[in-house]
Amino acid sequence: MKIENANPGKDISAEDIRTKFPLAAKKHASDHSVVKVGNVSIGEREIVTMMGPNLVENRSMIFSIAEWAKENRVSILRGGCFKPLTFPYRGVKYFETGLQGLKWLSEAGKYFDIPIVTEAVSESQVPLVAEYSDMIQIGTRNMQNFPLLTTAAKTQKPILLKRGFGSSLRDFLGAAEYILLEGNSSLVLCERGIVAPHTHKSTSRFLLDLQIIPAVKEISHLPIITDPSHATFWAPWVKPLALASIAAGADGVMIETHVDPRNAAVDPLQALDLTQSSDLVQFIHSIAKLVRE
Ligand code: PEP
Ligand code: MN
């Protein structure tokens, strides 16, 4: 396929590829970037799993999950510390742990020798997140917070850029370009569900856009993973959509794993327990074997 003619007549033109996101676009059909996070490579044959709790609630829970992650050959430990919480009121069931959480996560990652990823919600948090973590997550609500993108990119740390839940692929690649323009090519994209006409009803909060996986692969060299936990908002649907993501060509998945999902402080309905998470890891590698070998 000639990249120049990618998607003729669609919302991404050959001119966009040339002038708006030349760094995010691939030059040759076979171009694909590999991003290193610690000793993990994202965008190669091996599927990457990023698993852990929505919120690093306390030291013992993150140590238990990190130990489980290591035993189950999970690639990267995820955990929120600075959270973009939807509602401003905080309580015993809805809080963030900030710098303290970041220190616990970092300690657990080092103890079990597993790289960690966590979100920076604002520019002022970037230096701390860069100091303690192996990869900086930019959340869906900040995909077009351009000063934040630039500040995070300048650290030269690997970046996980989540797609804005109302953003087109064109906007997504525009945001990616801000990061690449800082000379930071350690960039991984993440589809985490978009708002569609039927969402925000009783069925689902977001719709996982599986179609963006081949679309990204057609235009860009960047690796892409999905986050079916945030998309479905509903634990029973996480496994089918994680497996569908891998079958559709994703380079990995981000999954919420909790020691006691029903009592999770944030988003209790979407987390898998450790047994369900171990089962999912096995299935992910089985599907990957089928589609990647
Ligand atoms: C998260 O991963 O914890 C998170 C808040 O995700 P998103 O930005 O996709 O909502
Ligand atoms: Mn969440």
Side-chain angles (χ1 to χ4, degrees):
M1 181 194 60
K2 247 175 111 212
I3 298 305
E4 187 70 6
N5 293 329
N7 282 331
K10 296 248 182 133
D11 79 329
I12 294 177
S13 66
E15 177 165 356
D16 288 339
I17 289 175
R18 216 170 23 245
T19 65
K20 295 196 165 54
F21 36 80
L23 301 175
K26 51 171 142 177
K27 307 267 180 290
H28 306 286
S30 62
D31 287 355
H32 65 281
S33 295
V34 175
V35 173
K36 291 281 264 186
V37 180
N39 54 8
V40 174
S41 297
I42 309 170
E44 274 188 328
R45 217 172 51 82
E46 183 86 1
I47 288 292
V48 167
T49 49
M50 302 187 188
M51 301 176 77
N54 188 306
L55 173 72
V56 177
E57 294 170 23
N58 55 60
R59 190 174 179 278
S60 83
M61 73 92 83
I62 197 61
F63 268 73
S64 301
I65 295 171
E67 183 177 22
W68 165 85
K70 191 69 189 177
E71 276 169 5
N72 285 270
R73 292 179 33 249
V74 167
S75 322
I76 295 177
L77 179 66
R78 74 142 273 152
C81 306
F82 297 107
K83 296 293 305 172
L85 295 175
T86 303
F87 304 104
Y89 307 107
R90 304 292 190 259
V92 282
K93 291 292 287 175
Y94 196 68
F95 59 95
E96 52 190 321
T97 45
L99 178 57
Q100 181 59 260
L102 190 54
K103 288 181 177 170
W104 289 327
L105 178 66
S106 163
E107 216 190 310
K110 287 201 166 70
Y111 190 86
F112 292 103
D113 189 28
I114 178 167
I116 60 168
V117 56
T118 194
E119 178 167 355
V121 178
S122 68
E123 271 183 87
S124 62
Q125 295 160 358
V126 167
L128 280 174
V129 173
E131 181 185 340
Y132 285 96
S133 77
D134 301 290
M135 184 177 216
I136 304 173
Q137 178 172 321
I138 304 291
T140 190
R141 293 159 184 82
N142 270 321
M143 187 201 84
Q144 288 187 310
N145 182 340
F146 303 116
L148 174 62
L149 300 182
T150 300
T151 303
K154 279 186 199 297
T155 64
Q156 300 303 330
K157 281 272 182 177
I159 310 275
L160 181 68
L161 178 64
K162 287 189 145 192
R163 179 186 183 187
F165 50 59
S167 297
S168 64
L169 174 56
R170 191 169 182 262
D171 290 348
F172 198 10
L173 293 176
E177 193 77 6
Y178 270 88
I179 292 164
L180 298 169
L181 195 56
E182 297 306 320
N184 187 340
S185 54
S186 297
L187 174 59
V188 176
L189 304 178
C190 179
E191 158 62 31
R192 49 78 69 210
I194 52 172
V195 176
H198 75 282
T199 56
H200 288 279
K201 298 248 170 73
S202 55
T203 47
S204 55
R205 191 176 179 201
F206 299 103
L207 177 75
L208 188 68
D209 180 11
L210 290 173
Q211 201 164 302
I212 202 168
I213 302 165
V216 163
K217 298 281 175 198
E218 195 169 291
I219 294 170
S220 177
H221 53 88
L222 295 168
I224 179 164
I225 68 165
T226 70
D227 174 350
S229 305
H230 277 88
T232 62
F233 202 53
W234 183 232
W237 298 355
V238 168
K239 178 176 169 182
L241 285 159
L243 300 183
S245 300
I246 303 306
D251 296 292
V253 284
M254 171 173 265
I255 304 286
E256 269 178 30
T257 292
H258 196 284
V259 282
D260 181 12
R262 264 191 293 184
N263 288 307
V266 182
D267 294 345
L269 299 179
Q270 72 197 30
L272 302 184
D273 66 25
L274 300 185
T275 308
Q276 293 165 331
S277 299
S278 303
D279 170 67
L280 178 56
V281 172
Q282 297 301 321
F283 271 87
I284 285 170
H285 290 300
S286 303
I287 295 282
K289 225 169 169 318
L290 280 176
V291 296
R292 299 212 149 199
E293 278 174 10

